[in-house]
């Protein structure tokens, strides 16, 4: 079975190393000017100073050589390095040993632990491109979530880097593949294409008059006419900046007495309403969405390890502290306690390392 980004075919589709550094100048999930906020909301701990990349690469080599693999050492090194540091380690490892670090991890590890370690080690844009490509092959709302997450819960520059990584890996654009995906029908397909094609303004300027006008348009389409993904809705949600949308959603709440996500959440069984709510959350308050992803991956029969891994890996360097706070308020439990209850072994170890202390 091909786990998330851990089969050999996936490894060999990873973009060239010169793509690794496209977007490390700012956090992959935050608009310009919010990098400091990301540092405070990240959950991973990084040694200061961190060892040189060559030293980390040599210690990783020791952990994977000989009889057995030192999984704890791999977690201790890779689980406590930033994306930029992991990229440097990846380059150093290949230069020293003439093999890719991902190839070695694939051959040494297995199961959900391998999937988590490989997703974490990958360049974030390449990782999200891989997740999007896999999501396009699977039915179900949880896989639509992936496309909305990569399009809406990241910065405009990260989405551009993701599209470049996708094109390099698959010789096609993400926009083309979403438009051609037979699993989706309009208007959902048009909405998804608009989301993955967007390049939003990343500044902080907000037009209050526009927010009032578009709050009215959203109310007219979503509440009055119940046309959830009407053209105006797709245009507004698919193109406006995050600060502008937050102002529009707040104006919606003030003018109509209810938040737009509350209105949408009441539409039980309405897939379009559910996907629009996901986009609203990912754009305005992603911690709500990812807390829900983690919880839904754990409750019920069995564990959805793919969703659990994706949520923790993708937010550990972004806003996992906020996700943990939201989780505790909404579910009266901690992410740590639920992860402990549903996972074990080294897979549990890497997830808890990324979640951080609670």
């Amino acid at each position: 079975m091909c786990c998330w980004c851990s089969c050999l075919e996936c490894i060999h589709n990873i973009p060239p190393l010169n793509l690794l550094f496209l977007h490390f100048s700012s956090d992959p999930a935050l608009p310009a000017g919010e990098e400091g906020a990301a540092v405070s909301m990240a959950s991973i701990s990084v040694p200061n100073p961190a060892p040189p990349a060559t030293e980390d690469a040599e210690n990783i080599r020791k952990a994977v050589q000989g009889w057995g693999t030192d999984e704890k050492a791999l977690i201790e090194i890779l689980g406590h390095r930033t994306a930029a540091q992991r990229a440097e380690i990846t380059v150093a490892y290949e230069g020293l040993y003439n093999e890719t670090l991902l190839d070695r991890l694939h051959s040494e590890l297995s199961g959900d632990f391998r999937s988590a370690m490989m997703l974490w080690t990958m360049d974030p844009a390449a990782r999200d491109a891989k997740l999007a490509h896999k999501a396009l092959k699977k039915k179900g709302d949880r896989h639509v979530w992936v496309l909305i997450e990569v399009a809406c819960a990241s910065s405009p520059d990260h989405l551009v880097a993701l599209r470049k990584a996708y094109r390099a890996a698959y010789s096609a654009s993400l926009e083309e593949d979403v438009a051609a995906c037979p699993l989706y029908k309009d208007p959902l397909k048009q909405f998804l294409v608009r989301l993955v094609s967007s390049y939003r303004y990343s500044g902080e300027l907000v037009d209050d008059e526009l927010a009032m006008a578009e709050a009215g348009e959203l109310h007219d389409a979503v509440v009055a006419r119940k046309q959830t993904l009407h053209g105006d809705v797709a245009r507004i949600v698919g193109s406006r900046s995050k600060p502008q949308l937050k102002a529009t959603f707040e104006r919606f709440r003030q003018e109509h007495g209810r938040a737009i996500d509350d209105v949408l959440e009441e539409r039980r069984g309405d897939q379009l309403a559910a996907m629009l709510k996901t986009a609203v959350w990912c754009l305005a308050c992603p911690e709500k969405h990812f807390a829900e992803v983690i919880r839904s991956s754990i409750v019920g029969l069995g564990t959805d390890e793919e969703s659990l891994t994706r949520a923790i890996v993708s937010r550990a360097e972004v806003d996992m502290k906020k996700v943990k706070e939201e989780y505790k308020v909404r579910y009266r439990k901690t992410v740590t306690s639920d992860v402990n209850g549903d996972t074990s072994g080294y897979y549990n170890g890497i997830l808890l390392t990324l979640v951080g202390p609670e």
Side-chain angles (χ1 to χ4, degrees), residues 11-316:
I11 291 171
H12 296 142
N13 272 334
I14 292 169
L17 289 176
N18 65 332
L19 289 177
L20 285 171
F21 298 97
L22 279 172
H23 62 295
F24 287 136
S25 59
S26 63
D27 189 275
L30 291 179
E34 294 187 18
E35 291 87 351
V39 173
S40 64
M41 289 297 106
S43 56
I44 64 167
S45 60
V46 180
N48 185 19
T54 52
E55 182 180 328
D56 279 339
E58 290 167 354
N59 286 329
I60 288 172
R61 183 68 169 184
K62 293 175 184 176
V64 298
Q65 277 192 320
W67 294 101
T69 303
D70 188 347
E71 290 89 349
K72 289 184 179 179
L74 294 177
I75 294 172
E76 185 61 28
I77 297 169
L78 294 171
H80 294 281
R81 300 294 184 272
T82 66
Q85 290 166 340
R86 298 193 305 274
E88 292 175 355
I89 294 168
T90 298
V91 173
Y93 187 94
E94 185 169 358
L96 287 170
Y97 304 112
N98 198 31
E99 66 173 3
T100 71
L101 178 55
L102 290 175
D103 272 335
R104 174 56 71 172
L105 292 176
H106 182 273
S107 66
E108 294 290 332
L109 309 178
S110 63
D112 297 318
F113 177 55
R114 177 172 68 184
S115 298
M117 288 296 291
M118 294 186 68
L119 275 180
W120 177 247
T121 303
M122 290 181 74
D123 160 60
R127 175 189 67 216
D128 286 351
K130 199 71 64 179
L131 291 172
H133 186 255
K134 286 181 175 290
L136 286 168
K137 298 178 180 180
K138 298 184 177 183
K139 291 183 179 180
D141 288 357
R142 288 179 182 232
H143 304 296
V144 184
W145 283 358
V146 177
L147 298 174
I148 297 174
E149 288 168 12
V150 301
C152 299
S154 59
S155 71
D157 288 341
H158 177 74
L159 182 55
V160 170
L162 182 163
R163 292 199 293 254
K164 289 180 179 179
Y166 191 100
R167 187 169 63 243
Y170 305 111
S171 300
S173 73
L174 176 58
E175 304 93 312
E176 286 179 296
D177 282 356
V178 173
C181 182
L183 299 177
Y184 308 135
K185 306 298 181 186
D186 290 334
L188 177 60
K189 178 183 287 189
Q190 292 178 343
F191 182 58
L192 293 174
V193 170
R194 184 180 282 272
L195 292 182
V196 301
S197 305
S198 69
Y199 185 68
R200 302 174 192 272
Y201 166 67
S202 59
E204 295 299 314
L205 292 178
V206 170
D207 185 329
D208 291 327
E209 290 186 3
L210 180 64
M212 179 179 292
E214 293 191 334
E217 291 181 51
L218 289 176
H219 184 269
D220 182 54
V222 173
V223 178
R225 289 183 286 166
K226 297 191 185 309
Q227 295 178 344
T228 307
L229 292 184
H230 180 274
D232 288 339
V233 177
R235 173 183 55 80
I236 294 167
V237 176
S239 63
R240 298 302 184 202
S241 72
K242 293 184 180 183
Q244 184 67 43
L245 285 171
K246 289 178 182 179
T248 298
F249 298 152
E250 176 59 21
R251 179 64 68 175
F252 184 106
R253 187 192 65 78
Q254 292 173 355
E255 293 293 319
H256 305 291
R258 302 180 65 199
I260 186 171
D261 52 311
D262 289 338
V263 172
L264 294 168
E265 196 158 16
E266 287 186 349
R267 305 263 183 91
R268 302 293 181 185
D270 184 339
Q271 185 196 32
L272 299 183
M275 295 305 103
L276 178 57
K277 187 202 80 170
T278 298
V280 168
W281 273 4
C282 284
L283 288 162
C285 43
E287 66 275 8
K288 290 187 177 182
H289 170 71
F290 287 100
E292 184 172 277
V293 173
I294 293 172
R295 182 65 175 172
S296 64
S297 70
I298 287 173
V299 298
L301 294 175
T303 304
D304 179 359
E305 289 87 1
E306 288 184 356
S307 295
L308 179 62
T309 300
R310 183 185 81 248
I312 291 175
V313 165
S314 64
R315 307 314 287 185

